[in-house]
Amino acid sequence: MEFNSNSGFMYVVVAVVIAFVLLQSVVFFIKAWKRGKELGMDKQALKKTVGSSALFTIAPAFAILLGVIALSNALGFPLPWLRLSVIGSLTYEATAAAAAATAVGSSLSQRITDPKTFAAIAWVMTLGIVPGLVLVPLFGKKIEKGISNIKGKDSKWGQIFLSGLFLGMISAFLGLVFAEVHTGLVGWIPVFVMFASALLMMVCGLIRKALDAKWIEDYALPISLLGGMALSIPITNLVMSLVG
Amino acid sequence: MKQELSYRDSVHRLGRVWMLSALAMMIAVPSVICIYYSAWPSAGGILKGFLSVAPIFWTVGVIEVFTYVPMLGTGGSYLGFVTGNLANLKVPCALNSMDRAGVQAGTEEGEVISTLAIATSSIVTTVIIALGVLLLSQIEPILESPVLQPAFENILPALFGALGVVFVSKNWKIAIAPLVVMIALFLLVPSLASAVGLMVPVGALIAIGAARILYKRNLL
């Protein structure tokens, strides 16, 4: 069977899972609505919750959609569609996909055409999100009762530990950006792009502060990511013309 | 006579069934890809990729469960952890809704509002992304044009440049050591690029080690 990450088969597989999760949302919605009526809650208040949640969601949902575009070149549409509408987030999915691609000797810079590579990436992305789906059914009840508290006595160290984990991951990938520098000016392109994207993120931060524009938080990452990607086009062209 | 289940217990039962089914379906996706295309990737490759992702994201996943379950309530948790995008969408949406409705997390009313908020948010997200993908697949040839290729070759620098600013600015003292070591490593040994996944836990150990030292000396 000829492999294509945008094949009808892929769309069907992904659509089935997404429909399943959509159905779950509907079932829980109905159950909660009925319960609200049982409790004698004001119907207007319930309706207001639905309306405001829907509004609240629109902006982040578009931000998530931008993530699908970023990953679509390497992975096609269906897989990023699934992973970003169910469970995932852009930070996780992009990192997991990149790590898996390099582990099997490929990269996200071109369309994955080898089904084995594609399957490996799909497996890694899937295995990475297992904990939530296992822990909530197992321990949800206990956690609710407040028996366990992972942060324990030293919650400040808990926070620092978590930041350390993220910084470790980020520094490894930022280091990777410098791996091609030894090849000359062309090898610096990723470094320039990294700085361009970092600059965009800083500008977003400044706008957030200066205008007290909280909305920009949702968009800062997609803006910087897609902005950095867009700027890589003139950067690449400029470097190529310099190198001749 | 059989005692009637409390509402929460019934949500737990329903939630477990749905969540474990969702887990089975998620695992079915890569399995089905392997079977349909009879393409079985090497276990070593998957393991290598897994090792670079799991130490960070499993830890984060575990912490998320313990942090968000009390906030989201029973129904909200079973739904939120399946539909995802917790920190950037579901959690603020649920908290915001409970705040507006003037109910507390953990109460019966909070449970209803939180579940409604997360269910609505999940449905809206799913619909927007589905429509978006439908439209995007129409303009696929544009996305694949050679002019745009440098953009896709530079996803990683663009992603980590932005993420770097966020995390490094918050914790620059912890960030210095792992950043210096990693950049030096990749400059000196470019061939490590194929093993970046294995460098992730190394970077994390350096960062946590540095953090521990700074923390013990009250420098954080």
Side-chain angles (χ1 to χ4, degrees), chain A residues 107-131:
Chain A
S107 87
L108 291 186
S109 60
Q110 75 263 331
R111 170 62 58 88
I112 309 278
T113 50
D114 173 29
K116 282 186 186 173
T117 308
F118 188 84
I121 293 173
W123 271 114
V124 172
M125 289 170 102
T126 304
L127 292 174
I129 46 84
V130 165

Side-chain angles (χ1 to χ4, degrees), chain A residues 90-105:
Chain A
L90 184 55
T91 317
Y92 167 69
E93 303 299 344
T95 315
T102 44
V104 292

Side-chain angles (χ1 to χ4, degrees), chain B residues 3-38:
Chain B
Q3 203 190 351
E4 208 180 308
L5 284 171
S6 77
Y7 175 71
R8 289 235 170 169
D9 285 334
S10 77
V11 174
H12 273 297
R13 205 175 54 183
L14 184 76
R16 283 177 183 157
V17 171
W18 276 96
M19 195 165 227
L20 294 175
S21 317
L23 176 62
M25 292 196 81
M26 293 307 292
I27 292 176
V29 170
S31 314
V32 165
I33 296 173
C34 290
I35 295 167
Y36 185 77
Y37 291 108
S38 47

Side-chain angles (χ1 to χ4, degrees), chain A residues 152-195:
Chain A
K153 295 169 202 159
D154 203 346
S155 78
K156 190 181 176 214
W157 170 248
Q159 283 295 328
I160 297 171
F161 180 82
L162 202 57
S163 309
L165 276 180
F166 268 111
L167 283 168
M169 174 187 80
I170 289 169
S171 45
F173 280 95
L174 283 178
L176 175 68
V177 170
F178 290 85
E180 295 299 314
V181 164
H182 67 103
T183 60
L185 195 55
V186 175
W188 281 91
I189 293 176
V191 181
F192 298 146
V193 174
M194 176 192 78
F195 280 116

Side-chain angles (χ1 to χ4, degrees), chain B residues 88-142:
Chain B
N88 59 339
L89 178 53
K90 304 290 158 54
V91 172
C93 182
L95 294 182
N96 184 40
S97 297
M98 285 190 277
D99 186 48
R100 281 196 188 189
V103 297
Q104 292 287 320
T107 61
E108 296 272 339
E109 286 81 9
E111 171 72 29
V112 169
I113 296 290
S114 166
T115 308
L116 281 180
I118 293 173
T120 307
S121 177
S122 303
I123 295 168
V124 172
T125 314
T126 312
V127 170
I128 290 180
I129 299 179
L131 291 176
V133 167
L134 211 70
L135 287 174
L136 285 172
S137 56
Q138 304 305 310
I139 57 161
E140 203 196 331
I142 304 175

